Amino acid sequence: MATPSELVISRPGPAARAGRTRDSAEENLISRLAHVVPSAEIALSLPLIGSIVALKRERNAVVVAHNYQSPLITAGIADFVGDSLAMARYAARCDAPVIVVCGVEFMAETAKLLCPDKTVLLPNLQAGCSLAASISPQDIRNLRERHPGTPVVAYVNTSAAVKAEVDICCTSANAVSVARSLRAHKIIMVPDQHLAGYVAACTGLEIVSSQGQCEVHVKYSGVDIDDYRATTGAVVLAHPECTRDVQQRADFVGSTSAMADYLSERRPRRVLLLTECSMADNVAMLHPEIEFLKPCNLCSYMKSITLNNVELVLQDGSNEIMIDPATAARARRPIERMLAL
Ligand code: 13P
Ligand code: SF4
């Protein structure tokens, strides 16, 4: 979901407060946000958005945001919005010397691995991920010992130190094709047991996984889906980090961008989107005619990125991502192997 350039505010400060009329970019942004963000919050955020846009220009920086970031970030300040695979591809090809990652730590590390000479800033260094926290480099070495000769795939939701131990990476968008590309009947795929279950079901491969799970997606249950569908007739889309039970009851399973593409193509009237809450808001800005049912679950790590901490890192260059060069050299290989597919 790339953000069209006309959505970016071109001037700092709220036009209204400065006593001037708003320009068309500001009006355009306000009308997009109006569908999903309360008007008082938009008014409060406009000065900050203007300041960040000016700082980006000053520092020659780009903001790369994940689909789970709030609309004030995706529509207000991002140069690119997408899933973790698209973010990595964008980082690899962009020219700007400074990349601000509005996402979680593993996404910023991936950008740094692909662009070692660039400055990569993560607005909040506490923005972790329950999947990345669930596995260590030693766990990978133990798995290799127990399953000698079995190729190891790491979900991109892992630390650079873990990536340094594996053969290839995958994201939820390409996990099935990465698994098939290995031409093995058995693979190790870590750390998300539910993504591994999804890939095993799609490919028929024997998959050894670990016990990791996403603390946001496992909150959905299959029973909830049946109730919602029965009472609302909603189309159900689920991320592959949801449990197998949820995956099997959903109408469609896919990465965040695959879900966005499904909705753009099919335009169902009513949708239950089993993923992080901001995903629905971001799609709703593009398709206000689609009704998104709540509840949804928030990722506290994703939500620890705010306009305030983005402004701060652009002002003082803090929170720069650094990876020890020896680890980086080994961790880069499985990512590049994935991107080459
Ligand atoms: P995507 O790869 O689908 O963007 O998902 C990343 C993620 O962290 C989902 O919880
Ligand atoms: Fe990690 Fe889950 Fe948050 Fe994605 S939604 S960043 S997998 S904790």
Side-chain angles (χ1 to χ4, degrees):
M1 207 193 303
T3 307
S5 56
E6 74 268 17
L7 299 178
V8 176
I9 291 182
S10 56
R11 219 175 293 171
R17 205 178 61 179
R20 64 173 170 75
T21 48
R22 288 184 172 124
D23 62 26
S24 63
E26 265 176 326
E27 292 296 356
N28 189 357
L29 175 64
I30 292 165
S31 78
R32 287 188 74 209
L33 290 173
H35 187 57
V36 289
V37 181
S39 56
E41 203 182 335
I42 299 174
L44 264 176
S45 305
L46 285 176
L48 209 45
I49 290 175
S51 160
I52 291 168
V53 171
L55 281 163
K56 282 200 305 178
R57 208 177 300 125
E58 230 171 81
R59 304 266 187 268
N60 202 359
V62 289
V63 170
V64 185
H66 187 261
N67 289 323
Y68 294 164
Q69 293 294 305
S70 79
L72 289 168
I73 288 177
T74 56
I77 60 165
D79 297 278
F80 183 82
V81 184
D83 65 7
S84 51
L85 179 62
M87 287 171 79
R89 288 196 194 283
Y90 178 84
R93 68 168 194 264
C94 85
D95 292 329
V98 179
I99 302 175
V100 179
V101 175
C102 289
V104 294
E105 188 181 17
F106 75 81
M107 295 171 177
E109 280 192 345
T110 303
K112 182 67 185 176
L113 289 170
L114 291 168
C115 316
D117 300 330
K118 294 187 180 173
T119 302
V120 176
L121 305 175
L122 180 63
N124 187 338
L125 293 177
Q126 305 306 314
C129 167
S130 67
L131 279 168
S134 75
I135 192 150
S136 70
Q138 187 59 47
D139 292 331
I140 306 287
R141 293 192 282 271
N142 293 346
L143 280 164
R144 280 202 193 274
E145 244 179 73
R146 285 202 293 278
H147 305 275
T150 307
V152 183
V153 185
Y155 195 24
V156 73
N157 300 39
T158 46
S159 66
V162 164
K163 289 184 178 84
E165 300 289 335
V166 308
D167 299 306
I168 189 164
C169 286
C170 75
T171 72
S172 59
N174 63 14
V176 169
S177 50
V178 166
R180 288 199 175 116
S181 76
L182 295 169
R183 305 197 181 285
H185 69 277
K186 174 180 166 184
I187 63 171
I188 296 169
M189 183 174 265
V190 291
D192 188 353
Q193 56 182 292
H194 307 301
L195 179 71
Y198 172 72
V199 174
C202 292
T203 60
L205 294 176
E206 184 187 341
I207 300 191
V208 176
S209 190
S210 55
Q211 296 298 308
Q213 41 185 9
C214 162
E215 65 188 41
V216 178
H217 288 88
V218 293
K219 287 183 186 150
Y220 296 110
S221 87
V223 179
D224 294 342
I225 297 180
D226 290 346
D227 288 350
Y228 266 93
R229 194 187 266 127
T231 51
T232 66
V235 172
V236 180
L237 278 67
H239 195 276
E241 290 169 10
C242 293
T243 63
R244 272 303 289 152
D245 184 32
V246 168
Q247 294 170 20
Q248 280 164 331
R249 292 181 205 219
D251 297 298
F252 177 79
V253 179
S255 73
T256 53
S257 290
M259 289 192 270
D261 291 346
Y262 178 101
L263 294 172
S264 295
E265 279 159 28
R266 310 232 184 159
R267 312 272 178 100
R269 194 171 62 81
R270 192 174 273 169
V271 172
L272 183 56
L273 204 50
L274 300 179
T275 191
E276 214 273 347
C277 298
S278 288
M279 179 73 202
D281 289 340
N282 285 319
V283 180
M285 281 192 291
L286 296 173
H287 301 295
E289 74 284 3
I290 300 178
E291 181 190 354
F292 289 94
L293 299 177
K294 305 290 162 114
C296 57
N297 292 315
L298 281 174
C299 173
S300 60
Y301 310 108
M302 287 283 181
K303 290 296 169 296
S304 71
I305 306 298
T306 63
L307 289 174
N308 288 89
N309 53 33
V310 172
E311 184 188 43
L312 209 62
V313 297
L314 277 166
Q315 277 167 344
D316 65 9
S318 57
N319 293 5
E320 184 174 354
I321 296 293
M322 301 287 194
I323 304 170
D324 136 71
T327 306
R330 295 173 62 219
R332 191 171 299 123
R333 280 200 299 258
I335 299 176
E336 287 178 342
R337 210 167 282 155
M338 167 185 82
L339 293 178
L341 281 183

